[in-house]
Amino acid sequence: MDFRKQDRSADPGFFATEAAGLRWLADADGARVVEVLAADDHSITLQRLDSVRADRAGAEEFGRSLARTHAAGADTWGAPPPGTDGRGWIGPLPQRNQPESTWGRFYAEHRVRPFADQAHAAGSLDRSGYDVIGRVCERLIAGAFDDVDTPARIHGDLWSGNVIPTAAGWTLIDPAAHGGHPVTDLAMLELFGNPHLDRTFSAYAEAAALPDGWRDTIGLHQLHPLLVHAVLFGGGYAARAVAAARAYA
């Protein structure tokens, strides 16, 4: 039986963007992606996945296949999936897939700053923490962390719940796909944990070059999801975002 997600209150672009992101990732011929069977303004119907126990071999193959997905690339930093209008979502929250000339500018202006603004307005991020994150944004825009030359085709919301181990291979669901930095996906896996993550990272690094010192920037790439969680769930995540930001301010 297939799996259908339905929400009649959803923005008409929500499910279309999810479907386009899944198809774009699948076109990379890398990591397995759940098949989209149908999508309309209020629902999406997907292939049903039967999960299995995650093992080391699956983790390694996922690392290699994710590297291939990233290598398929995107036209620009912040490029939206083809056929979409730049509107995107992470979980229930809207965000923009807005092309920019550098990764740092895209990440600052369309990922970190908008959610810092929302968290501050909601009271979960205090003024001093907001200012720390603002200094990181200034460094991002100035190019201090632009350590890769071309945009990757990334999932964009790659926490463990969006990677389903199946008998056919680990399979991606629920993307926030765009042209971004490959470490963004790896950092999300690390933030919330994933089985045999060391094997995934090692296999990825064997299949594709990563920037020197990439592990030292994982906290930078975690700012966005931490701030998203601060907006959704409150101040504990905001404090974690500020603590991470201090290393890059």
Side-chain angles (χ1 to χ4, degrees):
M1 183 179 295
D2 304 323
F3 174 67
R4 187 182 190 214
K5 295 192 293 184
Q6 186 173 21
D7 181 356
R8 300 203 65 82
S9 67
D11 186 293
F14 181 91
F15 289 116
T17 298
E18 179 178 351
L22 288 167
R23 290 170 175 144
W24 189 49
L25 293 171
D27 286 345
D29 196 23
R32 293 182 61 84
V33 180
V34 68
E35 182 181 358
V36 178
L37 302 177
D40 58 32
D41 285 352
H42 301 293
S43 69
I44 186 169
T45 303
L46 304 170
Q47 164 198 17
R48 182 170 290 278
L49 301 175
D50 295 318
S51 62
V52 300
R53 183 182 179 86
D55 60 20
R56 292 172 66 86
E60 291 172 0
E61 175 52 32
F62 177 63
R64 289 188 290 268
S65 66
L66 182 63
R68 294 195 300 273
T69 297
H70 288 170
D75 289 340
T76 60
W77 302 107
T84 64
D85 60 8
R87 290 180 299 165
W89 286 264
I90 185 162
L93 299 180
Q95 60 185 10
R96 290 292 302 176
N97 293 321
Q98 176 66 46
E100 294 287 359
S101 59
T102 66
W103 173 74
R105 180 172 291 278
F106 165 75
Y107 189 59
E109 298 287 16
H110 305 291
R111 291 298 183 264
V112 177
R113 200 190 303 276
F115 291 98
D117 289 345
Q118 292 177 58
H120 181 53
S124 59
L125 179 65
D126 65 21
R127 185 70 207 191
S128 64
Y130 181 78
D131 289 344
V132 171
I133 291 169
R135 292 196 295 273
V136 176
C137 287
E138 292 171 3
R139 295 196 68 205
L140 281 160
I141 292 168
F145 306 105
D146 287 329
D147 55 0
V148 294
D149 296 328
T150 57
R153 187 174 306 191
I154 71 169
H155 180 281
D157 189 11
L158 199 59
W159 71 288
S160 59
N162 286 341
V163 185
I164 309 301
T166 76
W170 293 18
T171 303
L172 303 178
I173 65 170
D174 291 352
H178 63 279
H181 196 299
V183 175
T184 294
D185 276 349
L186 302 180
M188 182 74 90
L189 285 172
E190 199 271 348
L191 180 59
F192 297 110
N194 209 51
H196 310 293
L197 187 59
D198 59 330
R199 299 310 309 146
T200 297
F201 281 3
S202 295
Y204 185 109
E206 291 168 4
L210 285 163
D212 290 342
W214 69 273
R215 289 180 181 272
D216 295 333
T217 65
I218 282 179
L220 177 67
H221 290 265
Q222 291 174 344
L223 282 182
H224 170 234
L226 286 170
L227 289 167
V228 168
H229 279 68
V231 173
L232 290 171
F233 305 117
Y237 284 104
R240 289 180 64 183
V242 174
R246 292 189 189 283
Y248 309 100

